[in-house]
Amino acid sequence: MKKYLLRSLPVALLGALMMTGTAQAVDPEDAIEYRQGVFKAFSWNFGPMAGMAQGEIPFNEEMFLQRADQLARLADMPWQGFTEDSDLGDTDAKMEVWEDADTFEQKIEEFKEEVAALEALIDEGAEEMQLRRQAGNIGQSCQACHDSFRD
Ligand code: ASC
């Protein structure tokens, strides 16, 4: 019994190392579903903000601030879902995401900067018009990325 345990110890250690040290491969379809889920959450939050920015729905400060805060907390999240092997599958992502990763990264940064700029305006108690204008800037950064990287 003791001999058996000693002999199996290195194997068990190796197994444990592989489990903890190596990132487990992610199913590409899971990555696609993950990022699409976060983009859905973007849309849930940004939709009313865009409507208020464009004057399509009345400005509701409480709702605008709540959705802006939630969008800020989501802004870092979907990008992890663009795993290397998730270019094929049930996705509208263009090959350019992987083939022109530098530009994609740059678009992500621009989006995050626009979201951060809105947070800053909210923190300093900006006027409705400034908030609506900055929401418009966020929408433009969404669109700029979609133009190049989404079918
Ligand atoms: C939204 C939404 C998007 C962006 C984009 C802005 O509300 O779901 O993907 O705004 O349409 O141009």
Side-chain angles (χ1 to χ4, degrees), residues 43 46-47 139 142-143 146:
S43 182
F46 187 65
C142 296
Q143 195 58 54
H146 294 167

Side-chain angles (χ1 to χ4, degrees), residues 39 42-44 46-48 50 138-144 146 150:
F39 287 130
F42 274 19
S43 182
W44 170 267
F46 187 65
I138 292 174
Q140 282 180 19
S141 75
C142 296
Q143 195 58 54
H146 294 167
R150 190 179 73 169

Side-chain angles (χ1 to χ4, degrees), residues 97-108:
V97 167
W98 292 269
E99 286 172 357
D100 190 1
D102 287 350
T103 309
F104 185 57
E105 285 286 331
Q106 191 187 315
K107 296 286 178 198
I108 292 168

Side-chain angles (χ1 to χ4, degrees), residues 5 27 53 57-59 70 75 92 107-108 120 123 149:
L5 271 178
D27 183 334
I57 57 174
F59 187 75
Q70 286 170 179
D92 292 333
K107 296 286 178 198
I108 292 168
D123 284 348
F149 295 102

